[in-house]
Structures are given as structure tokens and as C-alpha cells.
Amino acid sequence: MRITSLAVILALGLSAATLDAQLRPDTGAATPDARLEARLPAEARAGVRTVIDTARARGLPVEPLIQKALEGASRGANATLIVRAVNSLADRLAAVRGALGAASTETELVAAAGALTVGVPNATLRDLRRSQPDRSVALPLVVLADIVQRGVPVDTASSVIMSLSRAGMPEAEFHSLRQAVMQDIGSGANPATAASTRATGILLRVKVTAPPPAVP
Amino acid sequence: MDDDREWNRIEAELRRQPGVNRAAIARIMTEIHRPQRQPLIGRLWSWLAEPRLTLSPLGALATAALLVAVAVGVTRRGGDMSPDNVGPSVSGVAPVTRVLPVSAVEQRQAVQFVLVADSASDVRIVGDFNDWDATATPMRRSGTGGVWSVVVPLEPGRHVYAFVVDGKQWIADAAAPRAPENEFGTPNSIIMVGGSS
């Protein structure tokens, strides 16, 4: 086989692959219609489509909205409930984007929308973003929302998460905090006390074990 | 006359040349024709570039189409979330959801989901990774106990999921963070994969 033949095959193969990729539905835009058309109750389709189109026009991520609709369909929810859930999520995504900033990732926005659901105020989201502008705030928000659902008051939970965030704790420490608080609550501890005590413990431990500053 | 003299001179000159050493010539020719030991890369390139068959432009086109068809088929099959395609079967595992070592497939990581449900006859996992399709990802019972598990490759990020027991009961993962939204009656769980990108 000559080099030219090889080049022709490679060029044609690349062109065809590119064409295939272009024709393949984009999960963020085109595919939703097919998935939703196939799975949603007929009465819910128009409402969900409207919410999604509006969200897309506002620059919001639409895949979480599609997933919310698909979850409702899978659970056998009625059309009204599905449209309401999708619409509510779209509103929360818009609200938290204002707090976290337009450059936030989809993961961050969805996590923040969840935190908003359990009562975490927008001010906390803004503070959290300021405390770690160059790192994702998704995991801290997931832990924050989780410990609130386990009974830790929102103010306490927010304060605890903010203290770890300001201290530049790695993500593993947020996981540790959540597990420890869950364990304490399971043992009968007061949720607020558990969260505060465990966060203090993590801060002290990391401070003690941190390497000394480098000598110039 | 002059020509004869010239020829005689040439003949005499030639006769003064040393005799031909045919053995030496044979050795030289043997060395010339002996295959040279090329470096590995050179040998590989020679093997790759050596023409073996001829192909018309139509043949090249057909070959390219075949290659693309195979590549597309493999890519699309990669999205299948059935347990047969997500990893080896697991058994004897602790009842916790955990992220396994990084998969070689793109950036996805193999995550093992486990549920203890002694009386269940069928357990599925649903989530945003399988479009909440309750038929897509069945879990396997390990041995005769009530431990059900499945390994699913997940993209980095936040994923929401739940277990569906016997086709009707939706259960959150007790070991995982709870998803705050609960519009449809029972809570879901969250797993963060590969850092919170």
C-alpha cells in the first residue's frame, strides 16, 4: 500500500468521523428532545420544553433540567409535578448563578441549587465563592446541604463549611467532616455540636500536622 | 602504425597491474550484500512502509468507510450501562458505595454501588448517568445473601441516583449524601466523582 493510499484512507476516515460527530445529537441541546419525547407524559412535554428553551436562552445548563424531567417520568409523576419540578430547578439555577458567578460550572450550579433548597442563603454562596475563587465549591456545597438535612442548623452548617473553606482545606477534609458528623449524630450527639466540634478538630489537626513554613 | 604502438603500450601497462585477488572480492561482495542490523524503530518503519498490496482509490474509500463504521460502533456501544459492559462482576463486598481506581476509559471512574436488601428479588440503580432508566442498570446479587452491587463508569462531577427495589420501591443510599431536592416523594443520593469539577 502506498503512502498516498494510506493518507487517503486516513483523511477519509477522519472526515467521516468528524461528520458522524457533528450529526450525532449533542446531549446538551438536541438529544433532550428525543429523550423527553420518548419518555415524558404527553401533557408534560410542552411545558418542559418551554422551560428548557427558556433556560437555554438564558445560558443556563439544560441537562440538569432534562434529568429532572426524566426522573419524574421514571417515577411515574404526573405532568403538573414534572413541569413544576423542572421549572423550580431552572429558577434556582438562575438564582445561584447570580451568587456564584457566570463562570461557575454546571456541577457547581446544581450543587448550589441543592443548597438553596435546604435554606442556605445566597449570601453564603457568595462568601463561599470568594473564599475559594480558584477551586470548585461543588463538594463543600454538597456536604453543606447534606449536614443540614441531617439536622445541623443552616447557620451552623454554613459557618462550619466556611471555616474549612477559608482555611483552604482539601476536599478530603470535607468528606471527613460529613462522615464524622453523621457518625456523631448516629450516636445521639446534638447535630450542631457535632458539626462545630468536628470542624474545630479538623482545623486543629491540619494546623498541627501542617509542615513548618519554608526557611528562605 | 601509431595505433599498434598505442595498443601495445596499453597492454604493457595492464600487465604491470597486480593480479586480481578473487577471494578478497568475494569477501567484499558478501559484506555488501549482508543485511544490515537496523535500529528497532528503523525496522518497524520499514515493516510498516513496505508495500504489500495495491489498493485502488475505490478500495481505499471502502476501507475507510469500514474503519469508520467499526469505530462508531465501538464508541456507541461504550455508552451501554448494562452490568456486562461496566466491569467485572463483584462479590463479597462491603455494603458501601465507593469509587474504584480510575478507569482507563476516558476520564470515567468505575464506581461500585452496593445495597443490602435481603428480601429483594430484583434491584436496579437509576440516576442521571443512565437517564433515570429503571431498566438500564440491574444490580447483581452476590452469592445467596442480600448484598446487591453493580459497577458503573461515571464521568467526573456530581451524580444523583437511587435504587429501585422490585420495580416499585425507590431507596436512597444510606451511606451517601442526600440530594436536597425531593419533589417526587422519596429522596435520592449524591456521589461526587473525581473531585468536584
Side-chain angles (χ1 to χ4, degrees):
Chain A
M1 189 185 302
R2 293 179 181 174
I3 296 295
T4 48
S5 297
L6 195 61
V8 167
I9 287 175
L10 286 175
L12 288 171
L14 285 173
S15 302
T18 305
L19 182 64
D20 176 76
Q22 288 172 346
L23 292 176
R24 193 179 300 184
D26 186 326
T27 53
T31 308
D33 294 335
R35 286 179 290 174
L36 295 175
E37 291 297 315
R39 303 263 304 276
L40 279 187
E43 319 84 71
R45 285 178 205 152
V48 168
R49 201 181 303 130
T50 300
V51 174
I52 287 175
D53 289 346
T54 305
R56 185 179 290 121
R58 297 167 74 185
L60 295 172
V62 296
E63 183 62 22
L65 304 176
I66 294 160
Q67 292 299 331
K68 181 61 70 182
L70 291 174
E71 181 196 349
S74 188
R75 286 175 179 266
N78 65 46
T80 304
L81 196 54
I82 292 173
V83 175
R84 188 186 301 154
V86 174
N87 194 45
S88 171
L89 178 56
D91 286 346
R92 277 179 282 126
L93 288 174
V96 298
R97 188 178 60 174
L100 290 184
S104 305
T105 65
E106 179 180 311
T107 301
E108 289 179 314
L109 291 178
V110 176
L116 206 61
T117 304
V118 297
V120 174
N122 263 334
T124 299
L125 302 180
R126 274 193 291 273
D127 290 345
L128 192 58
R129 167 57 79 209
R130 281 195 210 103
S131 70
Q132 46 184 71
D134 301 324
R135 293 168 57 199
S136 171
V137 295
L139 181 63
L141 286 170
V142 166
V143 173
L144 171 56
D146 186 57
I147 62 176
V148 168
Q149 292 177 91
R150 310 279 176 183
V152 179
V154 172
D155 290 348
T156 305
S158 298
S159 172
V160 159
I161 294 296
M162 284 303 305
S163 64
L164 293 188
S165 179
R166 287 197 186 102
M169 291 294 153
E171 292 195 335
E173 297 299 346
F174 289 91
H175 279 299
S176 299
L177 172 73
R178 179 188 160 273
Q179 286 169 348
V181 170
M182 274 187 66
Q183 187 180 349
D184 291 350
I185 292 173
S187 301
N190 174 279
T193 305
S196 299
T197 305
R198 289 296 189 169
T200 304
I202 289 172
L203 289 167
L204 286 173
R205 172 169 52 80
V206 173
K207 195 173 179 180
V208 167
T209 57
V215 178
Chain B
M1 223 25 207
D2 287 343
D3 285 346
D4 290 344
R5 273 203 303 273
E6 183 61 18
W7 278 114
N8 290 337
R9 189 185 67 78
I10 291 171
E11 184 180 358
E13 190 68 25
L14 289 173
R15 287 182 186 284
R16 279 206 301 272
Q17 296 297 322
V20 174
N21 185 340
R22 295 189 182 279
I25 290 174
R27 278 199 307 274
I28 290 169
M29 295 310 290
T30 301
E31 286 301 317
I32 289 173
H33 290 292
R34 177 180 292 172
Q36 296 296 306
R37 185 73 176 170
Q38 290 181 311
L40 180 62
I41 293 176
R43 278 183 280 147
L44 181 61
W45 174 249
S46 299
W47 183 82
L48 287 172
E50 184 182 353
R52 288 183 170 77
L53 56 91
T54 56
L55 200 59
S56 67
L58 197 59
L61 187 63
T63 306
L66 181 63
L67 287 173
V68 170
V70 169
V72 169
V74 168
T75 304
R76 291 197 171 150
R77 227 178 30 219
D80 188 350
M81 299 295 289
S82 68
D84 291 336
N85 287 325
V86 296
S89 60
V90 291
S91 61
V93 292
V96 290
T97 294
R98 58 193 176 123
V99 179
L100 300 177
V102 176
S103 164
V105 183
E106 299 168 358
Q107 290 185 319
R108 290 189 293 178
Q109 291 189 33
V111 177
Q112 184 182 54
F113 294 94
V114 179
L115 177 72
V116 178
D118 291 328
S119 58
S121 58
D122 180 78
V123 179
R124 313 266 167 156
I125 187 168
V126 289
D128 52 19
F129 42 81
N130 64 6
D131 286 342
W132 296 92
D133 183 349
T135 65
T137 316
M139 298 177 74
R140 285 183 179 164
R141 187 200 295 264
S142 63
T144 56
V147 179
W148 298 77
S149 67
V150 68
V151 177
V152 182
L154 295 181
E155 300 285 345
R158 175 188 185 268
H159 297 280
V160 184
Y161 67 97
F163 302 112
V164 182
V165 177
D166 293 336
K168 57 183 187 295
Q169 187 181 7
W170 287 56
I171 297 177
D173 188 339
R178 284 182 193 156
E181 296 91 351
N182 183 16
E183 307 93 339
F184 301 121
T186 54
N188 297 314
S189 301
I190 292 175
I191 185 165
M192 299 292 293
V193 176
S196 55
S197 54

